[in-house]
């Protein structure tokens, strides 16, 4: 199987706190992989390390078998570092979020971040800026009108695929919550990604909206032939669509497997429900 | 942005053409009949200068969301760059008589000097932008304001006297009027050249805002984090916006020098930046037509319409309170009213369209008639 994203021994330490501890995971082409864990387990921190918001303290990340992010304990961390695998990684490499998006990783946000002053159409169109071939001069003097027309046509096509065409001229923020989420995913798709990273896509949704979203994510994978990594709290959604699940607790991976395996894994049940104390 | 139907688009183009033609006719009339000292000429010239700078500041503050206060500094660079290359050959020795032999002793064509002024301002802004654009909101404002003040002081340093004439003004500058005096365009040399430069500059900025780069700027303004996640390189795009804005501020500065006919550093204080920022706010942050409209209204009221408040008679009323300085009192009150009650400015973030005016005029009789009917109906009840 072709690997799309591979995390090797990612450790994220803030001061003395280890938020993510030696996390390794792999996402293969065409899969939907979920990263779950109880509150404060370090899911979002891991997500931020993957998307270039944070620089991991130690470890490496490969995108399509190419090294994109790598770090070793440096500076103050040299003394403070309390994680494992110290000395295993030597290269220092980091990428800003925009570079990662250019490589083909697009993300959404937990608290929806749409461009507020723009319409639905413009929101998606703006994401097309990344793949432009025009430069500042040709764009300013509208010499790239062919490319511009193509961008607009593609945007309309995408909006039709995600079923938002009827609201294309409405202000993005005036949409109902479920549609805003959909639009955010559509905007990410407009950057032509191969890997879609969803940060709690069902946050703040009611059961019915969650169900619709589950269906939507599934159709997105089929229509766009895309790989998806998601963080989520809604177990219904996770168990429904994931091919594989990673469970972390206190920053450490405690289980990995198919939804059925995870559901019956004692460690996972303990992490979520707490360990029953033996009666004396 | 509102999307027009094809029929409306056609109508809009026609309306725009009519308005444009009317504007040109008015300008030609003004140029042919006025003297250079006439108030209307002064107001239109200064209005053009301000319009360019205000729109350039709107590009940065309104469309890219970078709160920069360096506009006066970049105008200063533009004005000096233009002036140094535009002193009249015959009187150069006289102009520089306090500072020693001038280093630059040739004169460039007026358009070349103006473009050079823009490029110089752009270069400076690039250098300043490298460290400064990493800052956010207020910090960016303070840093750019500081740089502008530093520039103003450095340029008056007498060690640079042989180029900048130290703290003495550089006078005897090349102007459109002098340039066109003996040509067929002599009767079009007051206001029209200023308008041509302003239309070109504002046109380029507008085109840029409506391009894919403009959308990227707006994305950065709306949400930096999301913009970056959508693959927009923040450092690069902020720099593009900053340098473009400064380029046109430099051209505005050069045009200001043309307008005044001489240059010194004194008017380019932070107060000028605040004035420009104020016009941006009055016009509406994020509206180009609002900025243009506000520039002309502001200059007209400041220089012309409210003059009477200073000199005794205003709108036919003579009163002892109308004496020196009262104009500024009234002006401040107007500004306060704006800030308190019209926080979005004249235009908000909408654009002014000639089609809109046409519709408003067309619907006006209907509306008045409607009001009459309504009041009649109320009476009958």
């Amino acid at each position: 199987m072709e690997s799309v994203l591979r995390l090797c021994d990612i450790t994220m330490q803030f001061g003395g706190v280890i938020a993510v501890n030696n996390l390794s995971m792999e996402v293969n082409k065409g899969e939907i992989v979920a990263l779950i864990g109880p509150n404060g387990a370090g899911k979002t921190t891991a997500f931020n390390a993957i998307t270039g918001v944070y620089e991991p303290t130690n470890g490496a990340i490969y995108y399509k078998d190419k090294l994109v992010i790598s770090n070793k304990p440096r500076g103050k961390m040299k003394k403070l570092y309390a994680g494992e695998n110290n000395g295993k990684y030597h290269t220092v490499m980091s990428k800003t979020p925009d570079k990662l998006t250019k490589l083909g990783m697009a993300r959404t946000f937990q608290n929806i971040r749409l461009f507020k002053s723009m319409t639905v159409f413009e929101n998606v169109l703006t994401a097309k800026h990344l793949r432009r071939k025009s430069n500042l001069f040709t764009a300013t003097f509208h010499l790239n009108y062919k490319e511009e027309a193509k961008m607009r046509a593609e945007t309309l096509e995408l909006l039709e695929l995600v079923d938002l065409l009827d609201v294309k001229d409405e202000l993005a923020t005036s949409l109902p919550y479920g549609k805003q989420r959909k639009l955010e995913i559509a905007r990410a798709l407009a950057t032509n990604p191969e890997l879609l990273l969803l940060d709690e896509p069902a946050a703040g949704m009611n059961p019915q909206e969650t169900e619709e979203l589950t269906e939507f994510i599934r159709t997105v994978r089929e229509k766009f032939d895309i790989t998806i990594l998601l963080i989520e709290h809604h177990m219904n959604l996770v168990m429904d669509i994931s091919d594989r699940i990673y469970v972390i607790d206190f920053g450490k991976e405690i289980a990995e497997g198919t939804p059925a395996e995870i559901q019956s894994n004692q460690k996972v049940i303990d992490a979520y429900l707490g360990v029953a104390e033996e009666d004396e | 942005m509102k999307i027009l139907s094809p029929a409306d688009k056609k109508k809009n183009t026609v309306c725009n053409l009519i308005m444009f033609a009317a504007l040109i006719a008015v300008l030609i009339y003004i140029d042919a009949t006025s003297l250079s000292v006439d108030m209307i000429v002064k107001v239109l010239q200064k209005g053009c200068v301000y319009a360019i700078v205000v729109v350039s500041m709107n590009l940065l503050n309104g469309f890219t969301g970078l709160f920069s206060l360096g506009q006066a500094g970049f105008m200063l660079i533009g004005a000096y760059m233009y002036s140094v290359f535009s002193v009249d050959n015959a009187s150069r020795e006289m102009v520089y008589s306090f500072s020693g032999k001038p280093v630059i002793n040739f004169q460039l064509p007026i358009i070349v000097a103006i473009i050079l002024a823009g490029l110089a301002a752009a270069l400076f802004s690039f250098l300043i932008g490298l460290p400064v654009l990493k800052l956010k909101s207020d910090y960016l404002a303070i840093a750019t304001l500081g740089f502008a003040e530093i520039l103003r002081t450095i340029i008056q340093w007498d060690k640079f006297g042989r180029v900048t004439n130290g703290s003495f003004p550089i006078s005897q500058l090349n102007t459109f009027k002098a340039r066109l005096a003996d040509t067929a365009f002599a009767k079009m040399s007051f206001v029209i050249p200023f308008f041509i430069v302003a239309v070109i500059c504002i046109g380029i900025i507008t085109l840029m805002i409506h391009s894919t780069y403009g959308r990227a700027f707006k994305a950065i303004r709306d949400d930096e984090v999301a913009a970056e996640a959508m693959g927009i390189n923040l450092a690069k795009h902020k720099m593009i916006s900053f340098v473009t804005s400064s380029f046109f501020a430099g051209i505005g500065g050069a045009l200001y020098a043309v307008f005044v006919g001489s240059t010194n550093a004194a008017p380019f204080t932070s107060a000028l930046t605040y004035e420009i920022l104020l016009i941006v706010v009055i016009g509406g942050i994020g509206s180009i037509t609002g900025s243009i409209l506000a520039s002309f209204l502001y200059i007209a009221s400041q220089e012309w319409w409210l003059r009477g408040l200073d000199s005794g008679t205003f709108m036919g009323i003579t009163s002892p309170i109308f004496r020196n300085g009262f104009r500024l009192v009234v002006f401040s009150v107007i500004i306060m009213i704006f800030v308190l009650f019209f926080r979005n400015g004249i235009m908000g973030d909408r654009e002014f369209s000639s089609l809109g005016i046409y519709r408003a005029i067309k619907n006006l009789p209907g509306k008045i008639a409607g009001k009459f009917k309504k009041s009649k109906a109320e009476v009958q009840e």
Side-chain angles (χ1 to χ4, degrees), chain B residues 211-290:
Chain B
S211 77
T212 175
Y213 280 86
R215 285 194 296 271
F217 294 159
K218 285 183 213 161
I220 293 174
R221 171 190 69 186
D222 282 358
D223 194 324
E224 240 175 60
V225 178
E228 196 176 22
M230 289 303 114
I232 294 167
N233 186 335
L234 293 183
K236 188 177 152 198
H237 284 82
K238 282 179 176 178
M239 188 58 99
I240 290 175
S241 174
F242 191 57
V243 170
T244 312
S245 166
S246 308
F247 176 80
F248 289 109
I251 287 186
L255 214 57
Y256 188 82
V258 179
F259 164 67
V260 179
S262 79
T263 297
N264 68 17
F268 299 101
T269 53
S270 46
L272 179 64
T273 305
Y274 299 141
E275 209 178 356
I276 292 160
L277 181 65
L278 186 70
I279 303 176
V280 171
V281 173
I282 292 176
I285 293 174
S287 167
I288 293 183
T289 41

Side-chain angles (χ1 to χ4, degrees), chain A residues 3 8 22 30 46-47 54 64 70 100 104 109 114 136 146 156 184-185 198 231:
Chain A
S3 146
C8 302
N22 217 25
F47 197 83
Y54 294 152
K64 295 212 283 187
S70 175
L100 291 171
F109 296 88
L114 292 168
L136 183 65
K146 268 186 197 150
L156 287 178
E184 215 195 11
I185 295 175
L198 304 174
I231 295 182

